[in-house]
């Protein structure tokens, strides 16, 4: 017997393109997207064109400067505007974005998804974490280094000031995306306006720079300089870093605010500033220019621009930080990493969260990078491998979604995706060359994260197989307990189990040691859906076995925080009468012990056991009242 509730959304609410967002929120979401999502790509003008000039052969001629500028302009246009805005952001999984959401969407196109799709998701998620530690470091350092132009005597304070700013940035994360974006959004809007105005002032004086819009200049540059083409592409790629945050943070704001913000302000102002930097370089002796972004500013505006750039780069780090929270929550819900504490920072936007453990880990690693590298020039070599890797994984998964989920013809998929794939491979190849010049840092970080995720999933699989072999079938146990009833005590007992078919370990041990049974016993299983959210009328599956036993299966989306008391309140609408104050929750706490295991993968058991010991407690994770929980310990040899 299966029953479902019929509760639905409140009447009169006009939804936008994302669950929980309404039309009246739209202007706020656009402004928030400027600060949280586009802050990273918005600070690329500080260092991208400078690094491209440094990578080139001196770029002495007008054609060479226009060639470098053309490559940057078309990288922005094709990678961000065409690929991400028009295609990638449409591949949302019910409003949510990011590598793992895209992986879940791609898997939904198969009856039995191949393992390599999951592997791609793991690699993409791991690479994003590698990017998340580089972005705050290089963004803040590149802006604070403006002090060297304004006041060279304070150059030695660049690193200490950067460290203080980064600590402050991570400290304010606890106030949530909404609180942060209220401050960051307006500042970023001013930043983009200043980018556009400062660039336009130089374009007016040297309009020939607009010829760089012709892609032939970029193509001719690459053909004419084959020896350094890959190095130049690696520098040009810096102009699009931050675009991966656009997709990961899709769930925070929805697609429409992101699109409006990009076309109305971000894209035009970025183009104006890059053209302006090109015009400034063309009108000066290149040998005298070391930092075109700051040197193009009038003397009276240099100090304020350094201050504004510092604020903008602090904000730039926000996209990957919030993206790291979203990605970690998704990975934990999909059982790819251990459970972690998730704190919701908004009563209306379910996607806005704060994860203290992730925040602390990121802060420590970012501080270590700033101290270790000491300058944005050095960090620029470390930048790119992780981002280009994430983009490569994204384009492959997007192709699968087009083919299997959107039902596009394979020829149409190839026509759209092959050009994107070629560009991403070129960018990735150019960044791999910097592996031994600092690129090993995000690569090593991604490798460690991938190993941890792989070890966790392999360990969970082995533990489930071992537990299943030792379990008693639930239906067999229920039938025997009805025939031969033990002592019955009043109240309701809820036994949590991850296996639908097997009897909960906590129930078996309770019968073994206490030799009693409650008058109402509920076997509760929590499942995670491939969708980010599950509606109330699909969340609960209630089935009564007999007068003693019933089963409740609760399905949460991978972007939802599992809250068992709220779920049981829904079950009450289905006819299950219970009083929370007379209900006891029985959980099995497994103490994992390592058995002697030979072979090349013996170390995975140690990693899995260590991760399991540091996982967030199930009582806290499922929001069960601590006073109603009975934990029964068992030892398991792996």
């Amino acid at each position: 017997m299966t029953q479902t509730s019929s509760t639905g959304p409140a009447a009169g609410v006009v939804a936008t393109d994302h669950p929980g967002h309404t039309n009246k929120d739209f202007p706020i979401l656009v402004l928030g997207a400027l600060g949280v999502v586009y802050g990273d790509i918005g600070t690329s003008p500080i260092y991208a064109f400078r690094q491209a000039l440094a990578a080139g052969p001196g770029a002495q001629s007008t054609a060479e400067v226009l060639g470098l500028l053309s490559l940057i302009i078309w990288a922005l246009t094709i990678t961000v505007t065409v690929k991400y805005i028009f295609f990638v952001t449409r591949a949302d999984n019910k409003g949510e974005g990011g590598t793992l959401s895209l992986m879940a969407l791609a898997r939904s196109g198969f009856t039995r998804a191949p393992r390599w799709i999951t592997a791609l998701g793991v690699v993409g998620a791991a690479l994003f974490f590698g990017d998340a530690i580089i972005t705050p470091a290089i963004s803040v350092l590149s802006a604070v280094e403006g002090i060297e132009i304004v006041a060279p005597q304070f150059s030695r304070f660049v690193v200490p000031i950067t460290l203080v700013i980064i600590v402050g940035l991570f400290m304010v994360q606890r106030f949530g995306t909404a609180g942060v974006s209220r401050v960051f959004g307006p500042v970023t809007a001013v930043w983009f306006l200043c980018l556009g105005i400062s660039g336009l002032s130089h374009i007016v004086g040297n309009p020939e720079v607009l010829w760089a819009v012709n892609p032939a200049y970029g193509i001719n540059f690459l053909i004419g300089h084959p020896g350094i083409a890959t190095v130049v592409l690696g520098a040009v790629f810096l102009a699009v870093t931050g675009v991966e945050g656009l997709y990961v943070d899709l769930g925070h704001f929805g697609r429409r605010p992101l699109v409006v913000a990009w076309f109305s302000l971000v894209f035009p102002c970025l183009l104006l500033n890059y053209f302006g930097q090109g015009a400034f370089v063309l009108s000066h002796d290149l040998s005298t220019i070391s930092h075109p972004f700051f040197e193009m500013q009038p003397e009276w505006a240099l100090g304020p621009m350094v201050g504004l750039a510092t604020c903008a780069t602090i904000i730039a780090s926000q996209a990957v930080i919030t993206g790291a929270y979203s990605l970690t929550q998704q990975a934990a819900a999909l059982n790819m990493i251990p459970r972690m504490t998730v704190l919701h920072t908004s009563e209306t936007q379910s996607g806005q969260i704060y994860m203290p453990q992730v925040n602390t880990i990121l802060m420590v690693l970012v501080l270590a990078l700033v101290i270790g590298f000491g300058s944005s020039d050095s960090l620029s070599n470390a930048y790119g491998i992780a981002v280009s890797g994430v983009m490569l994984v994204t384009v492959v998964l997007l192709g699968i979604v087009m083919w299997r989920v959107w039902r596009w013809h394979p020829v149409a998929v190839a026509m759209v995706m092959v050009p994107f794939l070629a560009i991403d491979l070129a960018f990735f190849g150019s960044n791999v060359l910097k592996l031994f010049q600092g690129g090993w840092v995000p690569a090593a970080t991604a490798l460690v994260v991938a190993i941890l995720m792989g070890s966790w999933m392999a360990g969970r699989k082995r533990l489930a197989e071992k537990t299943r072999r030792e379990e008693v079938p639930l239906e067999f146990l229920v039938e025997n307990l009805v025939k031969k009833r033990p002592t019955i005590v009043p109240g309701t007992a809820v036994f949590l189990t991850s296996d639908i078919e097997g009897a909960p370990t906590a129930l078996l041990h309770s019968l073994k040691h206490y030799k009693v049974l409650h008058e109402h016993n509920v076997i509760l299983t929590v499942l995670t859906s491939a969708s980010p959210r599950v509606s109330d009328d699909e969340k609960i599956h209630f089935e009564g076995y007999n007068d003693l036993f019933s089963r409740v299966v609760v399905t949460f989306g991978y972007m939802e925080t599992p809250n068992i008391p709220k779920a049981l309140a829904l079950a009450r609408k289905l006819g299950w009468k219970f009083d929370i104050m007379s209900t006891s929750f029985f959980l099995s706490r497994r103490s994992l012990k390592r058995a002697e295991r030979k072979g090349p993968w013996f170390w995975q058991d140690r990693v899995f056991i260590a991760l399991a010991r540091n996982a967030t407690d199930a009582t806290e994770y499922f929001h069960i009242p601590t006073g109603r929980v009975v934990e029964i310990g068992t030892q398991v040899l792996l």
Side-chain angles (χ1 to χ4, degrees):
M1 179 181 66
T2 303
Q3 304 177 47
T4 57
S5 67
S6 58
T7 57
V13 176
V14 181
T16 62
D17 62 335
H18 185 274
H21 296 165
T22 59
N23 285 334
K24 67 179 181 180
D25 298 326
F26 187 74
I28 299 174
L29 291 171
V30 172
L31 189 62
L34 286 175
V36 174
V37 177
Y38 290 117
D40 189 2
I41 200 170
T43 57
S44 295
I46 298 175
Y47 49 80
F49 191 54
R50 178 190 68 182
Q51 293 301 120
L53 290 173
Q60 297 294 335
S61 70
T62 298
E64 288 175 333
V65 173
L66 291 179
L68 291 172
L69 188 58
S70 181
L71 290 172
I72 289 177
I73 298 305
W74 282 101
L76 274 173
T77 302
I78 295 174
T79 300
V80 185
T81 304
V82 179
K83 186 175 77 173
Y84 271 84
I85 294 294
F86 281 109
F87 287 100
V88 176
T89 55
R90 293 182 187 276
D92 66 290
N93 195 343
K94 295 187 178 179
E96 295 298 333
T99 303
L100 295 181
S101 283
L102 192 59
M103 177 203 72
L105 188 60
R107 286 168 54 177
S108 69
F110 297 84
T111 304
R112 186 173 182 179
R115 289 185 179 181
W116 59 267
I117 293 182
T118 302
L120 274 178
V122 170
V123 170
L127 286 169
F128 184 85
F129 283 110
D131 171 39
I133 67 170
I134 296 286
T135 296
I138 191 173
S139 297
V140 179
L141 255 180
S142 64
V144 177
E145 284 171 349
I147 293 175
E148 297 175 349
I149 298 175
V150 178
Q153 65 273 24
F154 293 109
S155 297
R156 65 181 184 276
F157 296 112
V158 167
V159 170
I161 292 173
T162 301
L163 295 176
V164 171
I165 291 172
I166 288 173
V167 170
L169 171 66
F170 281 98
M171 292 295 288
V172 301
Q173 295 303 314
R174 67 187 63 190
F175 299 110
T177 307
V180 170
S181 64
R182 275 195 294 269
V183 178
F184 285 0
V187 174
T188 308
V190 172
W191 167 253
F192 279 115
L193 289 173
C194 290
L195 285 182
I197 293 170
S198 65
L200 183 61
S201 64
H202 288 277
I203 295 172
V204 171
N206 198 350
E208 69 172 316
V209 73
L210 294 176
W211 284 110
V213 76
N214 184 352
Y217 280 101
I219 295 171
N220 290 335
F221 182 93
L222 295 177
I223 295 174
H225 304 86
I228 61 166
T230 53
V231 178
V232 169
L233 283 177
V236 168
F237 182 73
L238 295 174
V240 299
T241 52
V243 67
E244 72 287 353
L246 186 156
Y247 185 48
V248 173
D249 285 326
L250 182 65
H252 288 255
F253 301 97
R255 180 176 183 272
R256 196 154 66 94
L258 298 182
V259 173
V260 170
W262 174 255
F263 284 109
S264 65
L265 186 63
V266 179
F267 191 38
C269 290
L270 287 177
L271 292 180
L272 287 173
N273 193 265
Y274 281 119
F275 277 125
Q277 289 190 53
F280 174 77
V281 169
L282 289 176
S283 60
H284 290 76
D285 181 2
L286 188 61
S287 62
T288 64
I289 298 174
S290 60
H291 209 312
F293 177 82
F294 287 115
E295 291 172 6
M296 70 187 282
Q297 310 300 330
E299 187 174 348
W300 62 267
L302 185 56
M305 200 64 177
V306 171
L308 185 58
T310 303
C311 293
T313 52
I314 294 171
I315 295 168
S317 308
Q318 190 62 47
V320 292
I321 294 173
T322 54
Y325 297 156
S326 297
L327 207 61
T328 304
Q329 183 192 28
Q330 294 173 23
L334 293 169
N335 293 319
M336 301 174 81
I337 59 173
R339 296 184 298 264
M340 290 190 181
T341 302
V342 179
L343 303 177
H344 284 264
T345 58
S346 171
E347 294 181 0
T348 58
Q349 310 300 334
S350 59
Q352 297 184 6
I353 59 175
Y354 168 66
M355 303 188 73
Q357 294 157 297
V358 176
N359 195 66
T360 301
I361 293 171
L362 286 180
M363 182 179 69
V364 171
L365 293 176
V366 170
L367 293 176
L369 281 180
V370 172
I371 296 171
F373 283 85
S375 72
S376 61
D377 279 339
S378 299
L379 268 172
S380 67
N381 292 323
Y383 211 17
I385 289 183
V387 184
S388 57
V390 172
M391 291 170 61
L392 194 57
V393 169
T394 299
V395 80
V396 174
L397 290 174
L398 178 61
I400 297 170
V401 169
M402 287 179 169
W403 171 42
R404 301 290 300 196
V405 180
W406 295 351
R407 301 298 181 184
W408 283 27
H409 193 279
V411 175
V413 174
M415 289 177 63
V416 173
M417 301 311 298
V418 167
F420 292 149
L421 187 61
I423 292 172
D424 287 344
L425 283 171
F427 279 141
F428 184 72
S430 65
N431 282 290
V432 167
L433 295 177
K434 298 186 282 188
L435 182 65
F436 298 105
Q437 299 173 335
W440 61 269
V441 174
T445 303
L447 180 62
V448 170
V449 173
I451 289 173
L452 293 177
M453 294 175 74
S455 299
W456 178 257
M457 289 188 289
R460 274 186 55 86
K461 183 179 179 181
R462 288 193 65 228
L463 180 60
E465 290 173 351
K466 184 177 180 63
T467 303
R468 195 171 293 116
R469 288 195 300 267
E470 298 174 354
E471 279 181 346
V472 176
L474 179 59
E475 291 190 7
F476 174 80
L477 180 65
V478 169
E479 290 175 2
N480 278 273
L481 288 175
V482 170
K483 294 176 182 176
K484 188 178 179 180
R485 301 194 178 199
T487 303
I488 304 298
V489 297
T492 301
V494 178
F495 296 92
L496 271 71
T497 178
S498 58
D499 188 355
I500 293 181
E501 297 180 357
T505 304
L507 173 58
L508 295 175
H509 283 266
S510 176
L511 288 168
K512 178 180 177 181
H513 295 289
Y514 303 142
K515 296 180 176 56
V516 297
L517 196 66
H518 286 71
E519 58 183 343
H520 301 294
N521 299 275
V522 179
I523 311 302
L524 176 64
T525 301
V526 178
L527 301 179
T528 302
S529 170
S531 299
R533 293 174 183 82
V534 176
S535 61
D536 286 351
D537 56 352
E538 297 178 349
K539 195 180 293 290
I540 302 295
H541 174 95
F542 181 83
E543 181 179 0
Y545 286 122
N546 49 51
D547 62 330
L548 282 178
F549 284 92
S550 57
R551 166 178 289 286
V552 175
V553 178
V554 184
T555 305
F556 292 101
Y558 62 78
M559 284 300 295
E560 295 181 289
T561 299
N563 190 311
I564 286 180
K566 286 185 178 180
L568 296 186
L570 292 175
R572 187 183 301 178
K573 298 178 181 179
L574 306 181
W576 176 33
K577 305 299 182 182
F578 80 102
D579 177 12
I580 190 70
M581 297 312 296
S582 63
T583 300
S584 298
F585 294 86
F586 287 81
L587 281 68
S588 175
R589 178 180 287 273
R590 293 189 180 98
S591 177
L592 303 179
K593 302 292 183 181
R594 187 174 62 87
E596 291 298 327
R597 182 185 175 196
K598 298 180 180 180
W601 304 104
F602 70 92
W603 53 269
Q604 275 195 326
D605 289 338
R606 294 187 177 183
V607 174
F608 174 69
I609 292 172
L611 290 173
R613 288 173 179 170
N614 288 279
T616 298
D617 184 71
T619 302
E620 178 184 349
Y621 186 74
F622 290 114
H623 294 80
I624 304 173
T626 54
R628 310 304 309 170
V629 174
V630 178
E631 290 190 344
I632 300 177
T634 59
Q635 284 194 355
V636 179
L637 286 177
L638 276 180

